[in-house]
Amino acid sequence: MARRKRTSLVLEKAVRRAASINSIDPSLDLGNGLTLPAFSTLIETMRTKENAYNSALSSLDKLYREMLETEGELADMTEHMLMAVGTRYGKSSVEYGMAGGVPKNQRRQRLRGESPTPSNEQSSFVASVESKNGNKPATTT
């Protein structure tokens, strides 16, 4: 999904205000640097920066899509490399394990209905119960 481009409400308001002030006097000078040409220059600076920002987002989106595509290619080649090592040396070989695979003779076969977590790692239940006299908490597992 492409990143959302930015539009400045302040910029739109400034453009409308500049058009209105221009109808009063195109060379209006209100003192303290508040001139219509200075105002117009700042409006153009903001417009340029907003366009640059939105262009950068588009470039970033393109780079992100290219990166995801390359990542997919890398995942495929990673799998192919492991499969090729398994084909050349066998899936029970030391080399297959060195390449990151689990050698066939070291795989654990799960029984039907067994959970993927080892059964010896049962979750423990710990509860603190205050005794009747309120002195020592009792813990159960």
Side-chain angles (χ1 to χ4, degrees):
M1 185 169 136
R3 285 169 176 67
R4 205 164 165 208
K5 305 300 185 267
R6 189 175 194 288
T7 57
S8 173
L9 297 176
V10 173
L11 178 60
E12 292 173 11
K13 183 178 178 180
V15 168
R16 285 192 304 271
R17 176 131 328 139
S20 298
I21 293 172
N22 191 38
S23 66
I24 297 171
D25 181 8
S27 59
L28 184 65
D29 186 352
L30 300 170
N32 293 331
L34 299 175
T35 64
L36 189 56
F39 191 44
S40 297
T41 301
L42 191 55
I43 288 171
E44 285 307 311
T45 301
M46 177 58 193
R47 185 174 285 140
T48 301
K49 290 188 185 235
E50 185 180 63
N51 288 339
Y53 175 81
N54 288 335
S55 294
L57 284 181
S58 295
S59 297
L60 187 61
D61 286 338
K62 179 182 176 203
L63 183 61
Y64 181 68
R65 282 190 307 273
E66 290 171 355
M67 184 189 70
L68 290 179
E69 184 179 308
T70 304
E71 186 179 39
E73 291 173 13
L74 181 60
D76 288 344
M77 188 168 187
T78 300
E79 184 180 355
H80 286 21
M81 294 291 287
L82 181 61
M83 289 177 5
V85 169
T87 301
R88 175 169 285 177
Y89 296 102
K91 288 190 174 182
S92 295
S93 68
V94 173
E95 291 82 2
Y96 187 72
M98 290 170 60
V102 178
K104 203 173 185 180
N105 56 3
Q106 292 180 7
R107 290 187 192 144
R108 182 173 166 263
Q109 300 244 336
R110 283 191 232 140
L111 299 175
R112 182 175 290 198
E114 184 181 340
S115 67
T117 58
S119 59
N120 59 357
E121 293 181 19
Q122 296 176 356
S123 60
S124 62
F125 175 75
V126 179
S128 294
V129 179
E130 192 174 307
S131 65
K132 289 182 181 180
N133 60 10
N135 292 345
K136 296 180 182 178
T139 341
T140 59
T141 58

